[in-house]
Amino acid sequence: MHVLTLTTNLRMPFMREYLLLHGLSDVSRQTCTKILKSGKGQSIMLAIGGATESLYAGPGTMDLVLNRRKGFVRVALQTGASLVPVINFGENEVYSTIRGNRNPGLRYFQIWMEHKVGITIPIFWGQGVAIPFGFLPKRCPINTVVGAPIPVSRYDGDIRSSEGLQQVNNYHRKYIAALTELWQANKPKYAKQGTADLILVE
């Protein structure tokens, strides 16, 4: 399993060495393809929503940026790799946030920052040691639920052709359906009471 991160993170002094030391790679298409084609059993893990999705995160929510993210499906089609839906229940509970979609000025700045430097920083806080708030994560369980793999038939044609786009959209719909089903099946057991339904915000 290869964990992938933003290419920007690998350009920061000392951060690059720290991430490489722990086995992380950049999330570029070239890296994804190279890993998946390097041998049988190779797999990658990435956060599809990326930095944008972090701006929607907050306790009691599961807002995902997925509708317009199809690059991972194109990589799967070009390599024949299966798509595996995964949900972390409780990950949005570890920090409180000021959600940018409720503050236009803050949201504008965060989006501007993402476009300019490739990353953005949500305003968040957790718990402290001797004070009630700080930057330590709150104590709450995080349960990772892994769904059944979605087999993907390798497509050797032009991925940008009408047939290729049809294949991409088809598997993208399958992935969303599987992820939604995984959420609905496990929400009663793992989601905090009062958590809203899974919403595809972008």
Side-chain angles (χ1 to χ4, degrees):
M1 171 72 73
H2 298 263
V3 181
L4 306 183
T5 186
L6 290 171
T7 304
T8 309
N9 291 333
L10 296 173
R11 294 173 180 164
M12 299 180 184
F14 305 110
M15 177 68 79
R16 176 181 183 276
E17 285 67 30
Y18 177 83
L19 294 175
L20 292 175
L21 181 65
H22 288 81
L24 276 76
S25 300
D26 73 281
V27 76
S28 67
R29 182 175 301 177
Q30 292 81 0
T31 300
C32 293
T33 303
K34 182 178 179 180
I35 291 173
L36 293 173
K37 287 184 175 181
S38 63
K40 189 175 181 180
Q42 297 295 329
S43 61
I44 58 176
M45 181 177 73
L46 60 156
I48 299 170
T52 303
E53 192 171 276
S54 70
L55 302 180
Y56 291 98
T61 66
M62 184 55 76
D63 295 349
L64 304 182
V65 175
L66 183 57
N67 282 331
R68 58 188 177 88
R69 300 292 173 98
K70 300 182 181 181
F72 71 102
V73 180
R74 286 192 285 270
V75 169
L77 279 165
Q78 291 171 328
T79 59
S82 298
L83 296 171
V84 183
V86 178
I87 293 181
N88 286 321
F89 287 88
E91 67 177 358
N92 285 347
E93 308 300 324
V94 296
Y95 287 106
S96 297
T97 61
I98 296 178
R99 302 183 70 192
N101 59 331
R102 297 176 183 173
N103 187 319
L106 174 61
R107 177 71 172 175
Y108 176 84
F109 172 76
Q110 289 172 324
I111 294 298
W112 174 85
M113 185 176 179
E114 181 184 2
H115 289 164
K116 290 294 182 181
V117 298
I119 61 172
T120 189
I121 303 175
I123 298 178
F124 66 94
W125 65 94
Q127 65 181 28
V129 178
I131 54 176
F133 62 90
F135 292 108
L136 296 175
K138 300 175 184 177
R139 291 184 178 181
C140 63
I142 297 179
N143 295 286
T144 301
V145 181
V146 181
I150 303 170
V152 177
S153 300
R154 181 170 172 172
Y155 181 72
D156 293 320
D158 183 2
I159 203 71
R160 300 289 181 178
S161 66
S162 58
E163 182 183 357
L165 292 175
Q166 185 177 4
Q167 291 277 356
V168 170
N169 291 332
N170 178 45
Y171 281 108
H172 188 254
R173 284 192 296 268
K174 286 184 179 181
Y175 180 83
I176 289 177
L179 192 69
T180 303
E181 183 180 348
L182 192 66
W183 166 263
Q184 296 296 346
N186 293 278
K187 180 183 176 183
K189 183 176 181 180
Y190 295 120
K192 186 176 180 181
Q193 187 174 5
T195 300
D197 282 334
L198 183 152
I199 300 174
L200 303 183
V201 290
E202 290 188 31

